Amino acid sequence: MTNTGPHAPTKNNDLYLPHGSTAGAGHVLDIDPKRAGWTYSSLRIVALEPGETHTLTTGDSEWIVLPLDGGCTVRTEGDEFQLLGRESVFASVTDFAYVPRDARVQIASGAGGRFALAGAKCERRLPARYGPAPEVPVEARGSGGQARQVRNFASADAFDCDRLIAVEVITPGGNWSSYPPHKHDEHRPGEEAELEEIYYFEIDGPHGFGYQRVSPSREGGADVLAEVRSGDAVLVPDGWHGPSIAQPGHAMYYLNVMAGPGETREWRICFHPDHVDTTGGYR
């Protein structure tokens, strides 16, 4: 198993990326397909001081600008979106902006803040759009010690993208989420979609932490057990992922960014057969 590594990840090494290990070029976190060793999914975190701006050239990828804390203005090719943002990822859902491939984007923040840029290599060039916070579907998933809140702001059935799928999850302190362990590393029509996935974590409280498990679904597959803290990320190129475990007294946030080669943009998963209930669903 791997739990360290500041250099470019490989298939079975450096899938855990501690805070700061990918910083550079104006980003506090920068995961592109080359660094991840895959084809589609990307994630950047930008921190802006009051009055600062950041320029994004989207290239061959579509992107969502998602405030983590603070608000901003997103401008691209005649479109301008005022994002109210939020105080923190634990406070509420947020509005967001979608920007297309082959565009130049400016992100400006008068008061400063941190902004996630979730991206996916894509083919279609869709129009830039605003995603209002009240329209984000919020799902209560699981029960008891597996209860968590899922914010489906860019799930496959909530917001139109070409390949990008992205959601946020809040796990109360002491609870498990991403459970039962599940995978999406094979193309099986109607049953499972092949998706590369990034987990980005924040923990409520200055000394909080959690744990993330990824176990092999095939010989030589991804194998990670990581103690995660705010700003850390875990790459899931394949394998059973989960549980994600929050320290008692400290809620856990994670942002999931996914994309894959399927002709249809869909989130279809397979549960680990040793950890499902009689209905085959989430406990």
Side-chain angles (χ1 to χ4, degrees), residues 76-166:
T76 180
E77 300 183 343
D79 291 304
E80 180 173 300
F81 308 109
Q82 300 287 341
L83 304 188
L84 298 177
R86 55 189 166 185
E87 182 178 345
S88 79
V89 296
F90 298 101
S92 65
V93 298
T94 183
D95 52 357
F96 60 93
Y98 173 93
V99 293
R101 60 168 291 162
D102 302 316
R104 184 175 175 86
V105 181
Q106 183 187 72
I107 303 166
S109 181
R114 295 181 308 122
F115 308 95
L117 310 178
K121 183 177 179 181
C122 67
E123 289 73 41
R124 291 190 300 151
R125 192 174 192 270
L126 302 178
R129 279 161 290 140
Y130 174 70
E135 294 183 13
V136 173
V138 178
E139 174 188 358
R141 185 178 293 172
S143 61
Q146 291 86 50
R148 63 273 202 187
Q149 181 192 83
V150 184
R151 302 166 178 170
N152 291 298
F153 69 95
S155 62
D157 56 356
F159 189 83
D160 188 30
C161 301
D162 187 28
R163 292 194 179 275
L164 178 63
I165 298 172

Side-chain angles (χ1 to χ4, degrees), residues 2-24:
T2 181
N3 200 30
T4 59
H7 49 83
T10 59
K11 185 70 171 178
N12 284 309
N13 188 36
D14 301 330
L15 299 178
Y16 163 66
L17 302 174
H19 175 65
S21 64
T22 67

Side-chain angles (χ1 to χ4, degrees), residues 20 41 55 67 96 113 120 141 152 154 160 182 187 206 210 220 222 228 259:
S41 299
T55 299
F96 60 93
R141 185 178 293 172
N152 291 298
D160 188 30
H182 57 283
H187 175 62
V228 294

Side-chain angles (χ1 to χ4, degrees), residues 46-54 67 69-75 82-84 106-115:
V46 176
L48 297 180
E49 295 295 327
E52 279 193 328
T53 63
H54 175 81
D69 56 70
C72 66
T73 302
V74 178
R75 300 183 180 92
Q82 300 287 341
L83 304 188
L84 298 177
Q106 183 187 72
I107 303 166
S109 181
R114 295 181 308 122
F115 308 95

Side-chain angles (χ1 to χ4, degrees), residues 4 25 30 37 40 55 65 94 153 155 165 173 180 195 204 250 253 273 276:
T4 59
D30 188 359
Y40 296 98
T55 299
V65 181
T94 183
F153 69 95
S155 62
I165 298 172
L195 296 167
D204 192 19
H250 296 267
Y253 164 93
V276 294

